[in-house]
């Protein structure tokens, strides 16, 4: 388990090199420019090939032609990808700090499993078939599991280890329930098959409007937790000595991660590895200071998600490969590399 000093303590003992400070300051606007480039690519490139003129017409002079409709769909899809990517990246960074585990991801606390189980239940037993229905059930399932993990983890006496163990146990139980229901109900299996791989193709203005308030609240809350989480990374005793309110910080961190993961999963389905890879890679560049990790993760996570979505559109033309499949294919080797590098560093 890696434990890093908060930026206040490091500033007194080992100051951050001016070159790193300059690199971090320059790197953030560069990352924003990269995100803008990926956003434009996501709008311009897809399974349906359009000329630059058709894309331009669809953006600025829409008249309802087929090309204009395609561009409008891509805009909604891209906007949702930016929101969901930022949410997953921030949630991953917060959970890695909360559990003091640099290889933690939003699925660690069972939030994705809760959302998936709720959607399966809604489809199988309540007859819900619309995406708007999925959104609310998925969010409710994520919130319920987040609260249950907090309760089983010890509530006010919760520790990173207890929270991780509770989340892992609940995830295993819920995924077992999910698989059992889907096997026994072919109709539920057919309806769930597309949602569970994670996709941006169902993005609509209605879906975005439903999840946007939750995503904005979760992002603001996560960004505001940078300082107390920095203190907690030194350990509970030291954090208390520095004036950190541990229970309050843990509750707010759980709430932020649950809101962000729940809303993103509700809109797109469970998408893996984004919340794991980006914060971990960002930390190697910014250092352990969450005041830098969180903004970088919020900007670069959509780059990964939208980039994977564009790849999925291109490699299977005229069909598409869902973004959840692409991130899993990319994330598996990266995860193995990160684990091996961490193990080598500990030897």
């Amino acid at each position: 388990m890696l434990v890093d000093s908060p930026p206040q303590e490091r500033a007194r003992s080992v100051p951050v090199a001016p070159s790193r400070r300059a690199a971090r300051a320059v790197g953030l606007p560069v990352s924003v420019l990269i995100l803008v480039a990926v956003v434009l690519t996501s709008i311009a490139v897809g399974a349906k090939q359009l000329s630059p003129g058709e894309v331009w017409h669809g953006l600025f002079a829409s008249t309802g032609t087929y090309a204009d409709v395609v561009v409008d769909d891509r805009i909604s899809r891209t906007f949702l990808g930016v929101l969901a990517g930022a949410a997953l990246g921030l949630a991953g960074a917060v959970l890695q700090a909360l559990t003091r585990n640099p290889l933690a991801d939003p699925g660690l606390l069972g939030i994705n499993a809760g959302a998936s189980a709720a959607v399966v239940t809604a489809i199988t037993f309540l007859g819900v078939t619309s995406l708007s229905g999925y959104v609310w059930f998925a969010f409710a399932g994520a919130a319920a599991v987040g609260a249950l993990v907090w309760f089983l983890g010890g509530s006010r006496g919760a520790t990173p280890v207890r929270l991780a163990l509770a989340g892992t146990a609940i995830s295993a139980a819920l995924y077992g329930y999910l698989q059992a229901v889907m096997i026994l109900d072919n109709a539920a299996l057919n309806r769930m098959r597309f949602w569970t791989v994670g996709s941006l193709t169902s993005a609509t203005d209605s879906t975005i409007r439903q999840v946007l308030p939750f995503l904005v609240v979760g992002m603001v809350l996560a960004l505001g937790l940078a300082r107390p989480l920095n203190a907690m990374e030194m350990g509970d005793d030291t954090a208390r000595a520095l004036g950190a309110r541990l229970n309050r910080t843990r509750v707010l961190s759980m709430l932020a991660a649950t809101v962000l993961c729940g809303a993103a999963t509700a809109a797109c389905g469970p998408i893996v590895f984004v919340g794991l890879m980006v914060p971990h890679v960002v930390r190697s560049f910014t250092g352990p200071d969450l005041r830098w990790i969180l903004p970088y993760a919020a900007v670069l996570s959509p780059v990964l998600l939208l980039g994977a979505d564009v790849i999925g559109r291109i490699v299977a033309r005229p069909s598409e490969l869902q973004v959840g499949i692409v991130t899993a294919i990319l994330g598996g080797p990266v995860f193995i590399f990160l684990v091996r590098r961490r193990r080598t560093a500990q030897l």
Side-chain angles (χ1 to χ4, degrees), residues 107-118 120-121 145 148-149 152 164-182:
L108 180 66
L109 299 185
I111 297 171
N112 286 347
S116 299
V120 169
T121 300
V145 169
L148 182 60
V149 168
L152 294 179
L165 289 175
T168 301
I170 292 174
S171 292
L174 289 178
Y175 278 124
Y177 162 77
L178 187 152
Q179 294 299 323
V181 172
M182 291 175 65

Side-chain angles (χ1 to χ4, degrees), residues 170-250:
I170 292 174
S171 292
L174 289 178
Y175 278 124
Y177 162 77
L178 187 152
Q179 294 299 323
V181 172
M182 291 175 65
I183 289 173
L184 295 174
D185 188 333
N186 289 332
L189 174 61
N190 291 332
R191 289 194 291 267
M192 280 293 299
R193 185 171 49 192
F194 184 78
W195 186 83
T196 52
V197 299
S199 173
L200 298 176
T201 58
S202 57
T204 63
D205 293 342
S206 175
T207 302
I208 293 172
R209 284 196 298 269
Q210 290 181 67
V211 300
L212 182 59
F214 298 105
L215 292 174
V216 171
V217 170
M219 290 177 188
V220 172
L221 183 57
L223 291 170
L225 290 169
R227 288 182 180 274
L229 285 174
N230 273 338
M232 286 181 60
E233 286 196 341
M234 289 192 69
D236 290 357
D237 293 337
T238 304
R240 288 192 189 95
L242 292 172
R245 300 171 63 179
L246 300 186
N247 288 329
R248 177 177 178 270
T249 301
R250 287 190 178 119

Side-chain angles (χ1 to χ4, degrees), residues 12 79 81 88 99 104-105 129 138 154 173 211 251 269 302:
R12 297 187 190 124
F79 186 47
L88 293 173
T99 60
D105 77 329
T129 58
V211 300
V251 169

